[in-house]
Amino acid sequence: QVPLVESGGGLVQAEGSLRLSCAADARTFSSKNMGWFRQAPGREREFVAAITWNGRSTSYVDSMKGRVAISRDVAKNTNYLQINGLKPEDTAVYYCAVGGTTDQVNSYTAWGQGTQVTVSS
């Protein structure tokens, strides 16, 4: 069973918005911090946002502050990444991850398969 499943990516015009979803089973989701990362072709995986297990604290990459919001719905075992004002440079595969600490990519213990976001100019 895949622990994390992302959805919501797609092709969008610049200045548009997307809401990415990351569904998990209860065991994977419960009491664990969650994060979103992205990876563009030829580039390293980059931190985007993270939320603590209780939803009380969030963190964001500086380059996207004000355009992105992470949230979680405990009842649905799902977390969300809302991205507004999309730019062509936001084009990447977006990954959901669980069990780690803010922007420390190697601290996360499980990853989804990724969802492609493509922003046209």
Side-chain angles (χ1 to χ4, degrees), residues 17-60:
S17 298
L18 282 174
R19 188 177 77 157
L20 307 182
S21 300
C22 175
D25 58 54
R27 178 181 175 183
T28 300
F29 188 87
S30 178
S31 300
K32 292 185 176 65
N33 300 335
M34 301 192 81
W36 284 92
F37 292 76
R38 67 183 182 181
Q39 188 165 19
R43 301 189 65 176
E44 293 186 354
R45 193 164 295 191
E46 174 190 29
F47 169 73
V48 176
I51 187 167
T52 54
W53 66 273
N54 56 11
R56 293 178 181 174
S57 180
T58 58
S59 57
Y60 301 100

Side-chain angles (χ1 to χ4, degrees), residues 22-99:
C22 175
D25 58 54
R27 178 181 175 183
T28 300
F29 188 87
S30 178
S31 300
K32 292 185 176 65
N33 300 335
M34 301 192 81
W36 284 92
F37 292 76
R38 67 183 182 181
Q39 188 165 19
R43 301 189 65 176
E44 293 186 354
R45 193 164 295 191
E46 174 190 29
F47 169 73
V48 176
I51 187 167
T52 54
W53 66 273
N54 56 11
R56 293 178 181 174
S57 180
T58 58
S59 57
Y60 301 100
V61 63
D62 286 344
S63 62
M64 298 185 75
K65 282 183 179 177
R67 299 194 295 121
V68 64
I70 188 172
S71 60
R72 60 192 295 159
D73 185 330
V74 176
K76 296 182 178 180
N77 295 328
T78 300
N79 86 78
Y80 304 97
L81 184 71
Q82 177 73 38
I83 312 174
N84 301 319
L86 280 157
K87 305 175 182 181
E89 51 264 42
D90 293 323
T91 295
V93 177
Y94 284 70
Y95 297 91
C96 175
V98 67

Side-chain angles (χ1 to χ4, degrees), residues 2-17:
V2 179
L4 300 168
V5 180
E6 302 98 331
S7 61
L11 175 63
V12 62
Q13 289 188 334
E15 299 305 317
S17 298

